[in-house]
C-alpha cells in the first residue's frame, strides 16, 4: 500500500510515519511545507490512502488560517481529482471547529470541502475532530500546554497557570496513531459523520501540573507514578521525553560502611521498596527478623549463603545463591535471617520489601541466626 502523509514533519505526522514503518508499511510519501509542490502531484497519482495532517495553527495573521487549513486541503483534493485517484482521505480537524474563531472556522471549512469532495467522487472521508493531543515529540512553548509544562518543569523553568480548574480534553499520541492505522485498514471508530479516537481523558489543568511536578520530585523521594492509572502512566512517559540530554541520570544516596553499601532505589506507597545491597567478601549482613515485613532477595553478582531460623526453633535452613543462576529467595515473617558473601568479590543483591522503610515503625528485631 502506498500512503501519502501531509504534515509529515509535524508532531502527529512524525509519530505516524515512524509507526507505519514499524508495522512494515514501506511506501510512505512524506510531504511538508518545505516540499516541492511537484512532489505532491506525483504522490497523488500513486497513493492508495491519504493522511492529511498538514495545517496552520500559529500564523502571522488570521487570514493564513483559512489558506493553510482550507486552501491547502482544496489544493490537495483538486490534485487527487485531476489524477482520478479516489483513495480514502483521513484529515485531522479540531474540536475548535465547533467554535466561532478564525482557527475553528478554517478547520470547519476544510471539513466541508472534504465532505463535498467525498459526495462527488465517492472517496471515503475520515474526519477526526481531535482534542488536545499529548505525547513525545510535541513542540513545547508552541500550542500544547502539556508539552510546555513537561519541558519547562523538567528544565526547572517557570510555568504559568491562569486557572487550574480549567478542564482539558485529551488524547494520547499512541492512541491516536493506533486509531489512524485502524482507519487505514477500514476499522475506524465513528460517531455520526465524524471519526473518533476511542480513548480520551478529561482532566483538570491543575491536576496535570501537580502530576508533572510530582514526576520531577520522584527522583528525590524515589517514588514511582501510579502505573495502574492510564493517564498518569502516559503523562509520565511524555514527561520523560522532555528531559534534557544531560539529565537522564540522577544519583542515589549510598549508605557505605566497611561491610559494603546499602542503597534505596525505588519507594512506593503500595508496592514496597527496592534496594541494592553490596557485601564485601566474608561479610555477613542481617541477623534480624520481622513480624509483618517480608522481602525477596535476588543475588545478581557474586555468590553467597542465605540462612534462616524460625524464631523459637534451633533448625537452620540454608540457601546457596549465585549471580550465575538467578534465583529469588523469599524472606518469610517470623524467621531470623542473614546473607553471607562466600565469594572472593563483592556480592550484589537486589532486595525488595513489601513496604517502604519507616524509621518510626521499622518492624526489625535483632537476632542471630
Amino acid at each position: 500500500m502506498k500512503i501519502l502523509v501531509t504534515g509529515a514533519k509535524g508532531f502527529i505526522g512524525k509519530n505516524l510515519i515512524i509507526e507505519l514503518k514499524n508495522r512494515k508499511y514501506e511506501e510512505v510519501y512524506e510531504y511538508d511545507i518545505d516540499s516541492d509542490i511537484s512532489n505532491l502531484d506525483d504522490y497523488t497519482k500513486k497513493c492508495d490512502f491519504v493522511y492529511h495532517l498538514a495545517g496552520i495553527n500559529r500564523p502571522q495573521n488570521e487570514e493564513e488560517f483559512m489558506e493553510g487549513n482550507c486552501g491547502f486541503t482544496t489544493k490537495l483534493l483538486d490534485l487527487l481529482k485531476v489524477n482520478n485517484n479516489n483513495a480514502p482521505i483521513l484529515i485531522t480537524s479540531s474540536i475548535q471547529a465547533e467554535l466561532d474563531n478564525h482557527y475553528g472556522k478554517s478547520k470547519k471549512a476544510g471539513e466541508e470541502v472534504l465532505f463535498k469532495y467525498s459526495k462527488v467522487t465517492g472517496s471515503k472521508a475520515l474526519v477526526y475532530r481531535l482534542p488536545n493531543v499529548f505525547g513525545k515529540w510535541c513542540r513545547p512553548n508552541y500550542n500544547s500546554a502539556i508539552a510546555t509544562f513537561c519541558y519547562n518543569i523538567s528544565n526547572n523553568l517557570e510555568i504559568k497557570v491562569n486557572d487550574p480548574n480549567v478542564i482539558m480534553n485529551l488524547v494520547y499520541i499512541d492512541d491516536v496513531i493506533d486509531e489512524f492505522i485502524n482507519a487505514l485498514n477500514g476499522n475506524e471508530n465513528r460517531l455520526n459523520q465524524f471519526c473518533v479516537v476511542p480513548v480520551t481523558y478529561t482532566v483538570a489543568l491543575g491536576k496535570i501540573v501537580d502530576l508533572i511536578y510530582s514526576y520531577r520530585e520522584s527522583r528525590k523521594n524515589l517514588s514511582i507514578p501510579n502505573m495502574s492509572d492510564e493517564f498518569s502512566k502516559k503523562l509520565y512517559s511524555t514527561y520523560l521525553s522532555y528531559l534534557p540530554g544531560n539529565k537522564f541520570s540522577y544519583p542515589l544516596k549510598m549508605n557505605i560502611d566497611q561491610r559494603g553499601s546499602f542503597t534505596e532505589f525505588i519507594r512506593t506507597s503500595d508496592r514496597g521498596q527496592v534496594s541494592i545491597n553490596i557485601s564485601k567478601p566474608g561479610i555477613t549482613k542481617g541477623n534480624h527478623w520481622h513480624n509483618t515485613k517480608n522481602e525477596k532477595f535476588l543475588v545478581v553478582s557474586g555468590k553467597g549463603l542465605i540462612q534462616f531460623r524460625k524464631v523459637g526453633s534451633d533448625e537452620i535452613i540454608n540457601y546457596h545463591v549465585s549471580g550465575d543462576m538467578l534465583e529469588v529467595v523469599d524472606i518469610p515473617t517470623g524467621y531470623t535471617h542473614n546473607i553471607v558473601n562466600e565469594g572472593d568479590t563483592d556480592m550484589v543483591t537486589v532486595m525488595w520489601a513489601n513496604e517502604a522503610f519507616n524509621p518510626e515503625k521499622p518492624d526489625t528485631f535483632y537476632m542471630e541466626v
Side-chain angles (χ1 to χ4, degrees), residues 175-197:
D175 296 323
V176 173
I177 301 308
D178 281 343
E179 170 62 21
F180 282 8
I181 295 178
N182 286 340
L184 173 67
N185 295 306
N187 298 316
E188 70 275 7
N189 284 277
R190 284 188 175 271
L191 183 62
N192 301 320
Q193 65 178 330
F194 297 101
C195 300
V196 295
V197 178

PDB file of all heavy atoms in Angstrom, residues 175-197:
ATOM      1  N   ASP A 175      -2.447   6.420  21.158  1.00  0.00           N
ATOM      2  CA  ASP A 175      -3.834   6.034  20.922  1.00  0.00           C
ATOM      3  C   ASP A 175      -4.339   6.620  19.605  1.00  0.00           C
ATOM      4  O   ASP A 175      -5.112   5.983  18.878  1.00  0.00           O
ATOM      5  CB  ASP A 175      -4.723   6.490  22.086  1.00  0.00           C
ATOM      6  CG  ASP A 175      -4.366   5.806  23.395  1.00  0.00           C
ATOM      7  OD1 ASP A 175      -4.016   4.612  23.355  1.00  0.00           O
ATOM      8  OD2 ASP A 175      -4.437   6.462  24.446  1.00  0.00           O
ATOM      9  N   VAL A 176      -3.901   7.841  19.311  1.00  0.00           N
ATOM     10  CA  VAL A 176      -4.258   8.469  18.036  1.00  0.00           C
ATOM     11  C   VAL A 176      -3.684   7.661  16.872  1.00  0.00           C
ATOM     12  O   VAL A 176      -4.392   7.349  15.906  1.00  0.00           O
ATOM     13  CB  VAL A 176      -3.738   9.925  17.980  1.00  0.00           C
ATOM     14  CG1 VAL A 176      -3.954  10.518  16.583  1.00  0.00           C
ATOM     15  CG2 VAL A 176      -4.428  10.779  19.034  1.00  0.00           C
ATOM     16  N   ILE A 177      -2.424   7.302  16.976  1.00  0.00           N
ATOM     17  CA  ILE A 177      -1.779   6.565  15.886  1.00  0.00           C
ATOM     18  C   ILE A 177      -2.408   5.186  15.708  1.00  0.00           C
ATOM     19  O   ILE A 177      -2.617   4.732  14.573  1.00  0.00           O
ATOM     20  CB  ILE A 177      -0.258   6.444  16.144  1.00  0.00           C
ATOM     21  CG1 ILE A 177       0.377   7.835  16.253  1.00  0.00           C
ATOM     22  CG2 ILE A 177       0.397   5.617  15.053  1.00  0.00           C
ATOM     23  CD1 ILE A 177       0.079   8.781  15.113  1.00  0.00           C
ATOM     24  N   ASP A 178      -2.723   4.514  16.815  1.00  0.00           N
ATOM     25  CA  ASP A 178      -3.399   3.212  16.703  1.00  0.00           C
ATOM     26  C   ASP A 178      -4.723   3.356  15.951  1.00  0.00           C
ATOM     27  O   ASP A 178      -5.047   2.535  15.078  1.00  0.00           O
ATOM     28  CB  ASP A 178      -3.664   2.628  18.101  1.00  0.00           C
ATOM     29  CG  ASP A 178      -2.423   1.998  18.713  1.00  0.00           C
ATOM     30  OD1 ASP A 178      -1.462   1.722  17.974  1.00  0.00           O
ATOM     31  OD2 ASP A 178      -2.420   1.764  19.932  1.00  0.00           O
ATOM     32  N   GLU A 179      -5.485   4.386  16.298  1.00  0.00           N
ATOM     33  CA  GLU A 179      -6.771   4.602  15.634  1.00  0.00           C
ATOM     34  C   GLU A 179      -6.577   4.938  14.159  1.00  0.00           C
ATOM     35  O   GLU A 179      -7.306   4.427  13.299  1.00  0.00           O
ATOM     36  CB  GLU A 179      -7.532   5.723  16.339  1.00  0.00           C
ATOM     37  CG  GLU A 179      -8.780   6.212  15.619  1.00  0.00           C
ATOM     38  CD  GLU A 179      -9.854   5.156  15.434  1.00  0.00           C
ATOM     39  OE1 GLU A 179      -9.841   4.145  16.179  1.00  0.00           O
ATOM     40  OE2 GLU A 179     -10.720   5.325  14.549  1.00  0.00           O
ATOM     41  N   PHE A 180      -5.578   5.750  13.850  1.00  0.00           N
ATOM     42  CA  PHE A 180      -5.345   6.123  12.452  1.00  0.00           C
ATOM     43  C   PHE A 180      -4.947   4.907  11.614  1.00  0.00           C
ATOM     44  O   PHE A 180      -5.350   4.799  10.448  1.00  0.00           O
ATOM     45  CB  PHE A 180      -4.251   7.187  12.367  1.00  0.00           C
ATOM     46  CG  PHE A 180      -4.720   8.579  12.720  1.00  0.00           C
ATOM     47  CD1 PHE A 180      -5.988   8.795  13.236  1.00  0.00           C
ATOM     48  CD2 PHE A 180      -3.895   9.676  12.536  1.00  0.00           C
ATOM     49  CE1 PHE A 180      -6.436  10.074  13.561  1.00  0.00           C
ATOM     50  CE2 PHE A 180      -4.320  10.958  12.849  1.00  0.00           C
ATOM     51  CZ  PHE A 180      -5.584  11.161  13.369  1.00  0.00           C
ATOM     52  N   ILE A 181      -4.176   4.018  12.186  1.00  0.00           N
ATOM     53  CA  ILE A 181      -3.787   2.825  11.427  1.00  0.00           C
ATOM     54  C   ILE A 181      -4.953   1.853  11.337  1.00  0.00           C
ATOM     55  O   ILE A 181      -5.123   1.159  10.322  1.00  0.00           O
ATOM     56  CB  ILE A 181      -2.525   2.187  12.046  1.00  0.00           C
ATOM     57  CG1 ILE A 181      -1.343   3.156  11.906  1.00  0.00           C
ATOM     58  CG2 ILE A 181      -2.192   0.858  11.364  1.00  0.00           C
ATOM     59  CD1 ILE A 181      -0.041   2.679  12.509  1.00  0.00           C
ATOM     60  N   ASN A 182      -5.795   1.808  12.357  1.00  0.00           N
ATOM     61  CA  ASN A 182      -7.037   1.033  12.245  1.00  0.00           C
ATOM     62  C   ASN A 182      -7.890   1.567  11.099  1.00  0.00           C
ATOM     63  O   ASN A 182      -8.495   0.798  10.336  1.00  0.00           O
ATOM     64  CB  ASN A 182      -7.831   1.092  13.553  1.00  0.00           C
ATOM     65  CG  ASN A 182      -7.220   0.251  14.658  1.00  0.00           C
ATOM     66  OD1 ASN A 182      -6.436  -0.662  14.397  1.00  0.00           O
ATOM     67  ND2 ASN A 182      -7.552   0.551  15.891  1.00  0.00           N
ATOM     68  N   ALA A 183      -7.950   2.907  10.983  1.00  0.00           N
ATOM     69  CA  ALA A 183      -8.724   3.518   9.899  1.00  0.00           C
ATOM     70  C   ALA A 183      -8.141   3.160   8.536  1.00  0.00           C
ATOM     71  O   ALA A 183      -8.880   2.951   7.565  1.00  0.00           O
ATOM     72  CB  ALA A 183      -8.754   5.034  10.081  1.00  0.00           C
ATOM     73  N   LEU A 184      -6.839   3.090   8.454  1.00  0.00           N
ATOM     74  CA  LEU A 184      -6.173   2.675   7.215  1.00  0.00           C
ATOM     75  C   LEU A 184      -6.661   1.304   6.775  1.00  0.00           C
ATOM     76  O   LEU A 184      -6.795   1.018   5.579  1.00  0.00           O
ATOM     77  CB  LEU A 184      -4.659   2.656   7.438  1.00  0.00           C
ATOM     78  CG  LEU A 184      -3.762   2.111   6.340  1.00  0.00           C
ATOM     79  CD1 LEU A 184      -3.789   3.011   5.120  1.00  0.00           C
ATOM     80  CD2 LEU A 184      -2.329   1.956   6.842  1.00  0.00           C
ATOM     81  N   ASN A 185      -6.954   0.452   7.750  1.00  0.00           N
ATOM     82  CA  ASN A 185      -7.404  -0.911   7.468  1.00  0.00           C
ATOM     83  C   ASN A 185      -8.920  -1.059   7.499  1.00  0.00           C
ATOM     84  O   ASN A 185      -9.437  -2.173   7.559  1.00  0.00           O
ATOM     85  CB  ASN A 185      -6.764  -1.866   8.475  1.00  0.00           C
ATOM     86  CG  ASN A 185      -5.254  -1.938   8.329  1.00  0.00           C
ATOM     87  OD1 ASN A 185      -4.746  -2.200   7.252  1.00  0.00           O
ATOM     88  ND2 ASN A 185      -4.535  -1.682   9.413  1.00  0.00           N
ATOM     89  N   GLY A 186      -9.631   0.079   7.490  1.00  0.00           N
ATOM     90  CA  GLY A 186     -11.085   0.051   7.417  1.00  0.00           C
ATOM     91  C   GLY A 186     -11.784  -0.210   8.727  1.00  0.00           C
ATOM     92  O   GLY A 186     -12.984  -0.540   8.734  1.00  0.00           O
ATOM     93  N   ASN A 187     -11.079  -0.034   9.841  1.00  0.00           N
ATOM     94  CA  ASN A 187     -11.670  -0.324  11.152  1.00  0.00           C
ATOM     95  C   ASN A 187     -11.754   0.922  12.034  1.00  0.00           C
ATOM     96  O   ASN A 187     -11.532   0.869  13.238  1.00  0.00           O
ATOM     97  CB  ASN A 187     -10.840  -1.397  11.865  1.00  0.00           C
ATOM     98  CG  ASN A 187     -10.822  -2.710  11.102  1.00  0.00           C
ATOM     99  OD1 ASN A 187     -11.848  -3.169  10.621  1.00  0.00           O
ATOM    100  ND2 ASN A 187      -9.638  -3.295  10.963  1.00  0.00           N
ATOM    101  N   GLU A 188     -12.091   2.052  11.421  1.00  0.00           N
ATOM    102  CA  GLU A 188     -12.172   3.298  12.178  1.00  0.00           C
ATOM    103  C   GLU A 188     -13.354   3.294  13.151  1.00  0.00           C
ATOM    104  O   GLU A 188     -14.324   2.559  12.970  1.00  0.00           O
ATOM    105  CB  GLU A 188     -12.299   4.491  11.232  1.00  0.00           C
ATOM    106  CG  GLU A 188     -13.638   4.588  10.504  1.00  0.00           C
ATOM    107  CD  GLU A 188     -13.727   3.769   9.228  1.00  0.00           C
ATOM    108  OE1 GLU A 188     -12.777   2.989   8.944  1.00  0.00           O
ATOM    109  OE2 GLU A 188     -14.745   3.889   8.515  1.00  0.00           O
ATOM    110  N   ASN A 189     -13.238   4.116  14.189  1.00  0.00           N
ATOM    111  CA  ASN A 189     -14.349   4.329  15.124  1.00  0.00           C
ATOM    112  C   ASN A 189     -15.099   5.583  14.707  1.00  0.00           C
ATOM    113  O   ASN A 189     -14.489   6.639  14.514  1.00  0.00           O
ATOM    114  CB  ASN A 189     -13.819   4.498  16.552  1.00  0.00           C
ATOM    115  CG  ASN A 189     -13.390   3.178  17.166  1.00  0.00           C
ATOM    116  OD1 ASN A 189     -14.205   2.431  17.676  1.00  0.00           O
ATOM    117  ND2 ASN A 189     -12.095   2.888  17.086  1.00  0.00           N
ATOM    118  N   ARG A 190     -16.418   5.471  14.583  1.00  0.00           N
ATOM    119  CA  ARG A 190     -17.215   6.589  14.088  1.00  0.00           C
ATOM    120  C   ARG A 190     -18.259   7.029  15.105  1.00  0.00           C
ATOM    121  O   ARG A 190     -18.782   6.228  15.892  1.00  0.00           O
ATOM    122  CB  ARG A 190     -17.918   6.228  12.782  1.00  0.00           C
ATOM    123  CG  ARG A 190     -16.994   6.217  11.573  1.00  0.00           C
ATOM    124  CD  ARG A 190     -17.772   6.046  10.275  1.00  0.00           C
ATOM    125  NE  ARG A 190     -16.905   6.152   9.103  1.00  0.00           N
ATOM    126  CZ  ARG A 190     -16.625   7.287   8.471  1.00  0.00           C
ATOM    127  NH1 ARG A 190     -17.178   8.419   8.904  1.00  0.00           N
ATOM    128  NH2 ARG A 190     -15.836   7.294   7.415  1.00  0.00           N
ATOM    129  N   LEU A 191     -18.560   8.322  15.055  1.00  0.00           N
ATOM    130  CA  LEU A 191     -19.665   8.909  15.800  1.00  0.00           C
ATOM    131  C   LEU A 191     -20.370   9.853  14.841  1.00  0.00           C
ATOM    132  O   LEU A 191     -19.913  10.964  14.596  1.00  0.00           O
ATOM    133  CB  LEU A 191     -19.167   9.655  17.040  1.00  0.00           C
ATOM    134  CG  LEU A 191     -20.246  10.250  17.951  1.00  0.00           C
ATOM    135  CD1 LEU A 191     -21.122   9.138  18.520  1.00  0.00           C
ATOM    136  CD2 LEU A 191     -19.611  11.052  19.079  1.00  0.00           C
ATOM    137  N   ASN A 192     -21.477   9.347  14.262  1.00  0.00           N
ATOM    138  CA  ASN A 192     -22.184  10.066  13.209  1.00  0.00           C
ATOM    139  C   ASN A 192     -21.246  10.255  12.011  1.00  0.00           C
ATOM    140  O   ASN A 192     -20.607   9.308  11.597  1.00  0.00           O
ATOM    141  CB  ASN A 192     -22.739  11.388  13.735  1.00  0.00           C
ATOM    142  CG  ASN A 192     -23.706  11.171  14.900  1.00  0.00           C
ATOM    143  OD1 ASN A 192     -24.506  10.236  14.864  1.00  0.00           O
ATOM    144  ND2 ASN A 192     -23.621  12.000  15.926  1.00  0.00           N
ATOM    145  N   GLN A 193     -21.103  11.478  11.510  1.00  0.00           N
ATOM    146  CA  GLN A 193     -20.282  11.664  10.308  1.00  0.00           C
ATOM    147  C   GLN A 193     -18.790  11.786  10.609  1.00  0.00           C
ATOM    148  O   GLN A 193     -17.968  11.755   9.690  1.00  0.00           O
ATOM    149  CB  GLN A 193     -20.751  12.916   9.542  1.00  0.00           C
ATOM    150  CG  GLN A 193     -20.540  14.217  10.291  1.00  0.00           C
ATOM    151  CD  GLN A 193     -20.964  15.434   9.481  1.00  0.00           C
ATOM    152  OE1 GLN A 193     -20.893  15.418   8.250  1.00  0.00           O
ATOM    153  NE2 GLN A 193     -21.421  16.485  10.154  1.00  0.00           N
ATOM    154  N   PHE A 194     -18.459  11.912  11.887  1.00  0.00           N
ATOM    155  CA  PHE A 194     -17.063  12.088  12.266  1.00  0.00           C
ATOM    156  C   PHE A 194     -16.464  10.793  12.808  1.00  0.00           C
ATOM    157  O   PHE A 194     -17.177   9.900  13.273  1.00  0.00           O
ATOM    158  CB  PHE A 194     -16.922  13.207  13.298  1.00  0.00           C
ATOM    159  CG  PHE A 194     -17.345  14.552  12.785  1.00  0.00           C
ATOM    160  CD1 PHE A 194     -18.585  15.073  13.123  1.00  0.00           C
ATOM    161  CD2 PHE A 194     -16.518  15.279  11.946  1.00  0.00           C
ATOM    162  CE1 PHE A 194     -18.984  16.313  12.643  1.00  0.00           C
ATOM    163  CE2 PHE A 194     -16.902  16.516  11.459  1.00  0.00           C
ATOM    164  CZ  PHE A 194     -18.147  17.035  11.804  1.00  0.00           C
ATOM    165  N   CYS A 195     -15.155  10.719  12.759  1.00  0.00           N
ATOM    166  CA  CYS A 195     -14.432   9.601  13.359  1.00  0.00           C
ATOM    167  C   CYS A 195     -13.847  10.063  14.690  1.00  0.00           C
ATOM    168  O   CYS A 195     -13.605  11.260  14.896  1.00  0.00           O
ATOM    169  CB  CYS A 195     -13.311   9.128  12.435  1.00  0.00           C
ATOM    170  SG  CYS A 195     -13.891   8.549  10.819  1.00  0.00           S
ATOM    171  N   VAL A 196     -13.615   9.115  15.590  1.00  0.00           N
ATOM    172  CA  VAL A 196     -13.150   9.483  16.932  1.00  0.00           C
ATOM    173  C   VAL A 196     -12.045   8.547  17.388  1.00  0.00           C
ATOM    174  O   VAL A 196     -11.983   7.377  16.996  1.00  0.00           O
ATOM    175  CB  VAL A 196     -14.303   9.439  17.965  1.00  0.00           C
ATOM    176  CG1 VAL A 196     -15.356  10.483  17.649  1.00  0.00           C
ATOM    177  CG2 VAL A 196     -14.928   8.045  18.029  1.00  0.00           C
ATOM    178  N   VAL A 197     -11.172   9.085  18.227  1.00  0.00           N
ATOM    179  CA  VAL A 197     -10.201   8.272  18.945  1.00  0.00           C
ATOM    180  C   VAL A 197     -10.912   7.751  20.189  1.00  0.00           C
ATOM    181  O   VAL A 197     -11.398   8.544  20.995  1.00  0.00           O
ATOM    182  CB  VAL A 197      -8.962   9.100  19.337  1.00  0.00           C
ATOM    183  CG1 VAL A 197      -7.976   8.251  20.131  1.00  0.00           C
ATOM    184  CG2 VAL A 197      -8.298   9.671  18.087  1.00  0.00           C
TER     185      VAL A 197
END
